[in-house]
Amino acid sequence: DGGVDGGEVHPRWIRVNGLKSSVNEQLDTTFRGFEVVKDVGEVMKAVSPFTGKGKGQGPRRVICLDPHIPNLIAASPGSMDFTKTAAYQTGAIILQDKASCFPAYLLDPRPGDGDVVDACSAPGNKTTHLAAILHERRRDQQKILAFEKDKRRAQTLVKMVRTAGSDGITVVHPGADFLKTDPFSAEMSRVGALLLDPSCSGSGIVGRDDTPEFHLPEMATSTGGGKNGSERNSGKKNLKRKRAPSPPPPPTAATVLVDDDGTETVVASEKALEARLEALASFQLALLQHALTFPHATRVTYSTCSIHARENEHVVLAALRWAKTQTPSLNYSPWRLLPRSAQIRGMRDWPVRGDIDACEGDEEAAQACIRAQRGDGRGTMGFFVACFVRDLVPGHTNT
Ligand code: SAM
């Protein structure tokens, strides 16, 4: 949310929505008077009034332009309540954690990819990011098909898509279970890329171990529109953040897990946590397998805001193993992970990669996987993403 998380200052991440505005326009308006610095470390140090030069003088207003994700800005926490700005209210800016911007950017849908599916969409951060990317590349004719199983959360999705000006290129399927979609139906016949961001343990979310006494005054009253606020709270009951052991996990005695979609589970022991993770991982794998069966898909991202290998690298490796057992496609090469060297520049340059042990010692797979870690000085939430790709066999067409 922008604030102090387990002792580390967290910046406020702001994505400028290319469908409604530009970075230059926002620098001239919303961020007028802000000091522009070179890196996020400086932004995080500017967390007055508790520390730094500005102590006792009110919050310093500092921003930096993110070097990895285009149109992303980090602002010093407490510098401003962005949810009150015209830019936020009109969808010109979207409060979205840097790591949450990785999937749409890594998916990097190609002109030949046709339509793009967002399989688990609400509240719509990644859907609207995808829409902005397609728009910036002048590819508004490519449609986004957005699925969301939970009807209540789907309402938020519809609202966010509209506010962000993405409704022209997004077809929302409220209440639709992605697992029940028919990949071979006429509607899916043009789908070439899928973004899969399923429910997970949410263990990477900033604020799990919030310590209220460290909160800046502005952040003590969550508006539900904050970075993770916009990710977690919009359109559903305003989730009270439960205190969890710090750092979460590993849990010891009773721990309350709050999934990123709001489901609360009391986990009484490490064994129970294992069982919970196991259940999540099989659900995540089922969704991923479904995504990989789309007949014309050549790119699929899989992401979670979990820190557990069980929900991340393990699911990815299991999906690859499963894909090998399927009847090979005549038109496409087998699915593989998009290697780091072939990833879009910002993602290739991002230094935090998959866990080598969780990848069973496969260095290439670990490098292909992208992680973000809370509390490592880079100012992000805990996150994981990997991209599956396959190539059209020469002589075949993808229609
Ligand atoms: N991608 C979203 C964003 O960036 O704003 C966050 C998605 S959240 C992690 C996962 C979402 O998937 C929840 O809203 C949940 O209701 C939805 N979901 C879970 N299972 C689903 C399914 N089988 N089909 C469609 N949506 C599903």
Side-chain angles (χ1 to χ4, degrees):
D1 272 14
V4 181
D5 173 48
E8 178 174 286
V9 172
H10 198 82
R12 170 72 85 179
W13 292 102
I14 296 142
R15 178 166 65 76
V16 178
N17 176 14
L19 277 150
K20 290 266 176 122
S21 185
S22 66
V23 169
N24 282 341
E25 186 181 62
Q26 289 305 312
L27 290 178
D28 284 346
T29 51
T30 310
F31 299 104
R32 185 186 281 275
F34 277 67
E35 184 188 339
V36 183
V37 295
K38 283 224 171 68
D39 75 34
V40 71
E42 282 182 70
V43 170
M44 288 157 78
K45 275 192 212 128
V47 61
S48 58
F50 297 128
T51 57
K53 272 199 251 166
K55 191 173 177 181
Q57 295 169 18
R60 275 179 70 207
R61 295 186 155 185
V62 178
I63 51 168
C64 80
L65 303 184
D66 189 71
H68 300 103
I69 302 290
N71 303 331
L72 187 68
I73 292 173
S76 48
S79 53
M80 183 186 268
D81 183 353
F82 290 101
T83 61
K84 302 239 158 64
T85 62
Y88 175 80
Q89 282 158 12
T90 57
I93 60 168
I94 288 170
L95 307 180
Q96 183 173 359
D97 190 276
K98 172 171 177 170
S100 158
C101 298
F102 288 0
Y105 188 54
L106 178 67
L107 185 63
D108 185 22
R110 304 300 159 98
D113 279 344
D115 295 340
V116 182
V117 160
D118 186 349
C120 297
S121 307
N125 292 290
K126 298 174 188 79
T127 317
T128 53
H129 191 198
L130 273 174
I133 290 173
L134 292 180
H135 175 73
E136 278 152 24
R137 298 178 188 175
R138 311 250 179 285
R139 297 212 244 104
D140 300 59
Q141 74 286 0
Q142 286 177 264
K143 285 257 168 301
I144 299 168
L145 311 174
F147 295 88
E148 172 52 52
K149 191 173 162 186
D150 182 308
K151 287 202 178 105
R152 199 164 36 85
R153 288 173 63 84
Q155 287 173 9
T156 314
L157 170 68
V158 168
K159 199 170 152 220
M160 185 170 184
V161 163
R162 202 180 302 132
T163 308
S166 313
D167 41 346
I169 50 174
T170 307
V171 181
V172 177
H173 290 264
D177 182 342
F178 173 65
L179 278 176
K180 295 200 178 131
T181 57
D182 177 4
F184 298 92
S185 65
E187 188 192 12
M188 302 301 184
S189 63
R190 282 177 34 88
V191 171
L194 296 94
L195 186 152
L196 173 61
D197 184 47
S199 305
C200 70
S201 64
S203 47
I205 292 171
V206 172
R208 275 301 164 85
D209 52 350
D210 271 357
T211 316
E213 57 272 27
F214 285 121
H215 276 197
L216 291 172
E218 185 185 306
M219 291 158 343
T221 51
S222 168
T223 57
K227 175 196 67 56
N228 291 309
S230 73
E231 294 230 311
R232 304 189 58 214
N233 295 348
S234 341
K236 57 184 164 53
K237 61 186 181 286
N238 197 12
L239 284 178
K240 294 248 177 359
R241 286 181 179 154
K242 302 278 174 175
R243 287 270 197 122
S246 177
T252 44
T255 303
V256 180
L257 287 183
V258 187
D259 285 7
D260 53 359
D261 61 0
T263 316
E264 295 184 5
T265 315
V266 178
V267 176
S269 65
E270 218 158 303
K271 212 167 149 207
L273 173 67
E274 274 308 309
R276 174 73 183 141
L277 291 180
E278 197 55 45
L280 280 167
S282 6
F283 155 81
Q284 291 152 348
L285 179 59
L287 285 160
L288 182 50
Q289 289 169 342
H290 192 62
L292 295 176
T293 57
F294 276 62
H296 304 303
T298 57
R299 296 173 85 80
V300 173
T301 54
Y302 170 76
S303 54
T304 73
C305 53
S306 165
I307 59 170
H308 300 291
R310 192 70 204 83
E311 297 178 86
N312 297 331
E313 289 89 345
H314 290 186
V315 171
V316 163
L317 294 194
L320 283 173
R321 272 195 292 272
W322 167 84
K324 284 198 186 126
T325 67
Q326 301 305 294
T327 314
S329 161
L330 295 176
N331 296 0
Y332 296 97
S333 66
W335 285 106
R336 64 181 197 284
L337 287 179
L338 179 67
R340 181 175 183 173
S341 57
Q343 290 171 7
I344 194 162
R345 207 190 72 207
M347 294 292 82
R348 193 168 67 223
D349 293 348
W350 175 253
V352 191
R353 313 305 295 192
D355 184 293
I356 179 87
D357 291 334
C359 288
E360 298 163 5
D362 183 339
E363 177 66 28
E364 210 181 311
Q367 287 296 316
C369 295
I370 295 167
R371 270 184 178 263
Q373 254 142 27
R374 290 166 49 179
D376 69 355
R378 294 182 177 87
T380 66
M381 71 199 288
F383 204 82
F384 175 89
V385 62
C387 185
F388 293 78
V389 287
R390 61 178 177 173
D391 310 303
L392 199 60
V393 171
H396 288 271
T397 60
N398 61 352
T399 51

